[in-house]
Amino acid sequence: MLVIPTFMVIISINFFIIQIAPGGPVDQYIAQQEGIGDVNLMKDRLTGDNVNEVIDTQQDKKSGYQGAGGLTKEELLLIKQRFGFDKPIMVRFGIMLKDYMTFNFGDSLFRGSSVIELIVDRLPVSITLGLWSMLIVYLISIPLGIKKALRNNSKMDYYSTLVLLVTSSIPSFILAILLIVLFAGGSYWDWFPLRGLVSSDFDSLSFIAKISDYFWHITLPVIAMVLTSFAGLTLLTKNLFLEEISKQYVLTARAKGLTESGILYKHIFRNAMLLITSGLPAAVIGIFFGSSLIIEIIFSLDGLGLLFYETTIQRDYPVMFSTLFVFTLLGLLMGIISDFMYVLIDPRIDFEAI
């Protein structure tokens, strides 16, 4: 039940911080109109009984010199009505809550399509990056962490830790730029494409060629995302297995004559993986919707991260609030799923007894 008030507090803080920040959608639109003076654009965007009067005013401006530019009070009023800023902030807050509780996210202010359509169009890119990144990180980090625990204080343990610490200290955006310079035609080799998830002729390719083209495009972005992500999970896995190996039940199992592999995978593995598996939902959110932001910007990939960045710059409030709404809701729900996974993995855990 704490999810409900927590969700309301987060949404409220996001709303009021964004609303009071300077350079809102009205300012963005006014800047466009003063810079472009496009009457047709204004006619498409504005609605109201006196829209023709505004258009006539704009046309009159074009007939003479307008050194200072600027918009009339009528134009400003129509723009505010268009973006809903003719209402008090608390009224706008109530309207937003009512709409979003029914998942009515509305339309983008500057992109001519609904927020749902924008999210659905961009979601496959973020899922692609997140899925492959998470899969690679888990498939490498967990076996490596187990190996380091079994060979603790060996040369392999020392050298692998050194490599992990070095790679984790490199920011992902620096690594992405380095990969572009080295392998995407920057200054050395032109082996990989610089932008996009697929080639422009993707639809005309054969099935095998499509698969090859797809992996050709995602190689550098995925490398930039995963190379800095191995250290945390690997060292966590190592420490958890080291802690379990030293416990009494492991000594008892060895005394009964069980093989080392049997002890490792039938007893130690389940107990040590409790924290890792229960934290998987939170890791999914972080990888899918957090780590890919900078990567999508650098590699010009049309995912949710790039969408959120662009709409934030434009102050496209419906898209901004919708993405924050979805991310917050998913984050809270994933927290509940993590609690359930604790019980599923280890039936001895009883939250009602706490």
Side-chain angles (χ1 to χ4, degrees):
M1 296 302 296
L2 286 175
V3 167
I4 297 176
T6 304
F7 180 75
M8 294 299 298
V9 169
I10 295 174
I11 290 298
S12 300
I13 292 175
N14 287 334
F15 177 84
F16 288 107
I17 287 179
I18 293 175
Q19 287 282 335
I20 64 178
V26 173
D27 297 327
Q28 296 286 330
Y29 187 83
I30 290 174
Q32 290 180 10
Q33 296 306 309
E34 290 182 341
I36 301 175
D38 191 338
V39 175
N40 291 326
L41 178 60
M42 176 168 282
K43 186 175 181 180
D44 291 338
R45 292 294 176 87
L46 300 181
T47 58
D49 296 334
N50 57 342
V51 65
N52 291 327
E53 177 184 345
V54 175
I55 294 174
D56 292 339
T57 304
Q58 285 292 96
Q59 290 174 339
D60 290 339
K61 286 181 181 180
K62 288 186 175 182
S63 61
Y65 173 71
Q66 298 290 334
L71 299 172
T72 67
K73 292 182 179 180
E74 290 80 7
E75 293 171 342
L76 291 176
L77 178 60
L78 282 177
I79 294 173
K80 290 181 178 180
Q81 290 176 350
R82 165 67 178 83
F83 294 117
F85 279 82
D86 58 325
K87 302 179 181 65
I89 187 170
M90 293 306 298
V91 174
R92 300 200 300 270
F93 179 64
I95 294 174
M96 183 203 72
L97 288 181
K98 179 182 177 181
D99 290 339
Y100 285 11
M101 290 307 168
T102 58
F103 293 93
N104 178 21
F105 299 133
D107 298 327
S108 170
L109 298 180
F110 300 102
R111 295 174 178 264
S113 61
S114 69
V115 174
I116 295 296
E117 290 177 352
L118 289 173
I119 293 177
V120 171
D121 289 341
R122 301 294 186 96
L123 192 58
V125 175
S126 295
I127 290 178
T128 291
L129 293 178
L131 185 63
W132 285 112
S133 300
M134 183 180 66
L135 185 63
I136 293 173
V137 168
Y138 270 76
L139 287 179
I140 293 179
S141 295
I142 292 178
L144 180 59
I146 296 174
K147 192 71 173 179
K148 287 172 64 64
L150 296 177
R151 301 181 60 181
N152 187 38
N153 293 329
S154 65
K155 288 186 178 180
M156 174 267 177
D157 183 33
Y158 287 131
Y159 290 141
S160 60
T161 300
L162 178 62
V163 173
L164 289 173
L165 293 178
V166 170
T167 55
S168 65
S169 65
I170 304 174
S172 58
F173 70 92
I174 295 294
L175 181 59
I177 294 174
L178 180 63
L179 291 174
I180 290 175
V181 171
L182 291 177
F183 303 112
S187 301
Y188 296 90
W189 302 281
D190 189 8
W191 292 350
F192 297 95
L194 182 59
R195 62 183 63 210
L197 197 61
V198 294
S199 300
S200 57
D201 60 343
F202 182 78
D203 293 334
S204 62
L205 299 177
S206 64
F207 178 74
I208 300 299
K210 286 182 178 180
I211 295 177
S212 176
D213 182 77
Y214 167 76
F215 283 106
W216 182 47
H217 279 77
I218 69 169
T219 297
L220 293 186
V222 170
I223 290 176
M225 289 183 62
V226 304
L227 200 57
T228 61
S229 305
F230 292 124
L233 184 58
T234 301
L235 297 178
L236 175 62
T237 303
K238 173 192 172 182
N239 293 331
L240 290 174
F241 271 80
L242 282 177
E243 182 180 355
E244 293 297 323
I245 289 173
S246 62
K247 290 185 177 179
Q248 183 63 41
Y249 74 88
V250 176
L251 298 178
T252 303
R254 286 172 177 165
K256 290 181 178 180
L258 295 179
T259 62
E260 289 296 324
S261 60
I263 296 173
L264 177 64
Y265 293 106
K266 290 183 179 180
H267 299 279
I268 298 177
F269 188 84
R270 180 175 181 177
N271 294 329
M273 291 297 294
L274 176 61
L275 289 177
I276 297 174
T277 307
S278 61
L280 182 60
V284 171
I285 293 294
I287 293 177
F288 272 54
F289 304 113
S291 303
S292 62
L293 170 59
I294 300 299
I295 302 302
E296 289 178 8
I297 295 173
I298 294 177
F299 288 96
S300 299
L301 300 173
D302 291 330
L304 290 178
L306 183 58
L307 174 65
F308 185 71
Y309 170 78
E310 293 174 345
T311 53
T312 301
I313 297 299
Q314 294 175 331
R315 301 299 195 272
D316 196 339
Y317 283 175
V319 183
M320 291 175 62
F321 288 134
S322 299
T323 50
L324 288 172
F325 178 91
V326 173
F327 292 168
T328 302
L329 183 61
L330 286 176
L332 293 173
L333 292 178
M334 287 298 179
I336 296 177
I337 294 175
S338 295
D339 291 340
F340 279 113
M341 292 186 69
Y342 273 114
V343 180
L344 291 176
I345 297 172
D346 191 349
R348 296 172 298 175
I349 296 177
D350 185 4
F351 288 110
E352 295 182 358
I354 297 177

